[in-house]
Amino acid sequence: MKATASELLRRLPGKISQQWPMGERFVLALAHGSMSVELYAPLGVDPQTAHDQDELYFINAGHGVLAIAGKCHAFESGDCLFVGAGVEHHFVEFSPGFSAWGVFWGPVGGERGG
């Protein structure tokens, strides 16, 4: 399986909904078993809510700040950030052209290991 950021970005925006009135800013790239990979490219504001599974963000392009459970983490292209299942998080600042790969895996509620 292979996914290419430039190809996925051309598929945005996605479906319009109440949460995404200008169209979804994520697109499914790959899936296998409990694992899924999305490319996420919000515009202006990040309206996402906590997820049911653990998640890794690999920053594809840009820089900014990700708030995880109220604590801010600066990031830039090439960085990796972890967010546990059910933990509130938002990109509170991000540069134009920002995009990140989001990798979800494991059981609902996350893996509670150390």
Side-chain angles (χ1 to χ4, degrees), residues 67-79:
I68 304 172
K71 184 175 179 186
C72 290
H73 303 272
F75 64 82
E76 61 186 37
S77 182
D79 286 351

Side-chain angles (χ1 to χ4, degrees), residues 33-35 51-55 83-86 104-113:
S34 72
M35 182 274 303
H51 306 293
D52 291 339
Q53 293 176 286
D54 290 334
E55 180 180 17
V83 180
F104 302 90
W105 78 94
V108 169
E111 297 178 359
R112 300 287 180 202

